[in-house]
Amino acid sequence: MVGVKTKILAIESSCDETSAAVLDGRVVLSNAIATQTVHEKYGGVVPELAGRAHQSNIVPVVDLALREADTTLQELGAIAVTQGPGLMGSLHVGVSFAKSISMALGIPLIAVNHMRAHIMAHFIGATEDSAMPALPMLCLTVSGGHTQLVLVDESFHMSVIGSTIDDAAGEAFDKAAKVMGLPYPGGPEVDRLAETGDASKFQFAKPKRNGLNYSFSGLKTSLLYFLRDEIKKDPLFIESQKPHICASYRKAIVDYLLLVMGDAIAQHNVKSIALAGGVSANRELRRKFIALGEAHQMESHIPPFEYCTDNAAMIGIAGLFQWRNGQIVGLDITPQPALKIE
Ligand code: KG4
Ligand code: ZN
C-alpha cells in the first residue's frame, strides 16, 4: 500500500459544535472541537447564531486539527462531512467547506449521517487491528435531539427499533435544569449535582410503556408540578434540595432508558450492546449500562467521553467505513436537516 493516502479529514457542524478531525485508518490523530458559548445566555441553541459561529470557527478548527495530526492537506486521501440530520444553516457551513476541499485537492467526498456516526464511534481503534464490538449490536443513542434504539447487523446495516415520541433524553435533562435555574446545557450540571444527592428521596411519575418507544413528556410534567407544589410550601425548596431533586430525576430517566433497552435485548438476538450520543456521558447511565451488560452476560461498549458529545472523529470513522465501501458522493450534495439513519 506504499503511496496510498490513508488519511481522512472529517468535519462536523450539525449543531453548535464546530469540529474537525484527522484519522489514519481507524486511528484518531486529532479531534479539535470549538464549542459555541454564544447560546448560553439564550438557554438553547439559536440556529442563526450557530451558523455564523461555524462560519468563523471552521478554518481555525480545521487548521488546528491538521497541525495536531502533523498532517498537510496534500497528505489527505479523502474528506468526510456531516450531511445531516441537524440545523440547515450549521450543516451548510461544513458541507460547503468540505466540497471546496474535495474539489481543490481532487479527493473523494464522503457524506456522513450524524446519527450513524455517533454509533460508529465505537469502531475507532487505538490501532488498525484493535478489537471491534461484536455484531449484531444494539445501541442506545441518547442526545439532545434524539433517543433511539438502533440494531446494527453484521454488514453495518442500521435499523431503528425504538425511538422517542416526544422529547429526547437530553432535552428531558436540559428542560429540568432550566426550571431549576441551572446553567445551559443543563444535562452535565444535573449529572454533577446528582452525584451527591439521594436518588430515593423523591418519586416522579413512571413513564408509560409503549413497546420499544420512549416518551419523556410525562416525566418532565411530573417534575414541573412537583416543584410548583413544593415551592408553594417552601420558596427555597429547589435551593435546599437541588442534589436530591437531580439524583431522583436522573434515576427516573436512566432506569426508564435501560428498562426499555432490556426489553429490546430480550426481543432481538444481539451479541453486544452500546451507548452513544451526548447523554452517554451521564455517570449514572454509564454505571447502570455496564451492569445491564453484565446481567445479560454480553459485551457492553461506552465511548470515551471525548467521543460521546458531537465531534468530528466519529464522522471520520463513519466516513472511513463508507470510503472503504466505495460510498463516495458528488459535489452536488446538499445538507439534509432531516436525514434518516436507514
Ligand atoms: O450528542 P450531543 O452532544 O448533541 C446532540 O446531537 O444533541 O448531546 C448533547 C446533549 C445535551 O442535551 C446535554 O445536556 C446532554 O447531551 N448531556 C448530558 C450529559 N452530558 C451531555 N446529559 C446528562 N448527563 C450528562 N453528563
Ligand atoms: Zn449528536
Side-chain angles (χ1 to χ4, degrees), residues 114 118 143 310:
H114 179 92
H118 269 300
S143 71
D310 291 349

Side-chain angles (χ1 to χ4, degrees), residues 80-318:
V81 66
T82 307
Q83 187 182 19
L87 300 169
M88 186 61 172
S90 293
L91 292 166
H92 231 289
V93 177
V95 169
S96 301
F97 184 88
K99 283 187 192 184
S100 314
I101 296 268
S102 166
M103 188 177 170
L105 299 176
I107 57 175
L109 176 66
I110 301 149
V112 173
N113 179 306
H114 179 92
M115 299 310 294
R116 276 187 75 91
H118 269 300
I119 298 172
M120 291 305 292
H122 292 282
F123 295 85
I124 289 171
T127 71
E128 187 59 41
D129 303 320
S130 295
M132 293 200 270
L135 298 175
M137 176 173 91
L138 175 68
C139 185
L140 171 64
T141 307
V142 270
S143 71
H146 294 86
T147 299
Q148 294 181 331
L149 282 165
V150 182
L151 266 183
V152 187
D153 75 12
E154 288 91 339
S155 50
F156 291 91
H157 176 79
M158 296 190 188
S159 35
V160 179
I161 57 168
S163 58
T164 180
I165 58 163
D166 41 53
D167 290 347
E171 263 178 300
F173 274 109
D174 294 341
K175 288 181 178 172
K178 203 168 181 174
V179 298
M180 285 190 275
L182 301 175
Y184 167 86
E189 194 60 15
V190 171
D191 188 28
R192 190 183 64 78
L193 287 162
E195 286 295 292
T196 58
D198 173 5
S200 62
K201 189 142 185 194
F202 305 117
Q203 305 292 327
F204 300 108
K206 287 234 169 338
K208 285 199 184 67
R209 308 297 305 280
N210 174 12
L212 297 179
N213 292 322
Y214 291 99
S215 164
F216 288 96
S217 63
L219 188 60
K220 182 186 66 188
T221 312
S222 164
L223 173 74
L224 281 178
Y225 288 163
F226 167 75
L227 291 178
R228 184 196 60 188
D229 294 346
E230 293 299 325
I231 289 168
K232 270 189 204 149
K233 292 182 251 167
D234 170 12
L236 295 178
F237 179 76
I238 293 182
E239 229 21 74
S240 63
Q241 301 295 321
K242 220 177 250 174
H244 307 309
I245 304 168
C246 289
S248 305
Y249 187 72
R250 178 178 74 168
K251 178 178 189 300
I253 293 181
V254 168
D255 288 356
Y256 176 48
L257 283 171
L258 296 182
L259 186 69
V260 180
M261 188 173 200
D263 289 350
I265 296 171
Q267 291 171 24
H268 294 270
N269 192 14
V270 292
K271 291 198 176 132
S272 66
I273 55 173
L275 271 186
V279 183
S280 54
N282 187 275
R283 284 165 263 210
E284 174 84 346
L285 180 59
R286 293 167 89 92
R287 289 190 286 264
K288 287 191 169 162
F289 175 77
I290 291 167
L292 181 71
E294 284 166 1
H296 285 87
Q297 295 175 323
M298 97 175 35
E299 285 176 27
S300 58
H301 300 276
I302 308 179
F305 276 106
E306 62 181 318
Y307 304 139
C308 285
T309 47
D310 291 349
N311 67 89
M314 70 182 195
I315 305 302
I317 189 76

Side-chain angles (χ1 to χ4, degrees), residues 59-73:
V59 170
V61 166
V62 168
D63 187 48
L64 180 64
L66 288 168
R67 275 190 285 121
E68 284 183 354
D70 198 14
T71 297
T72 63
L73 282 171

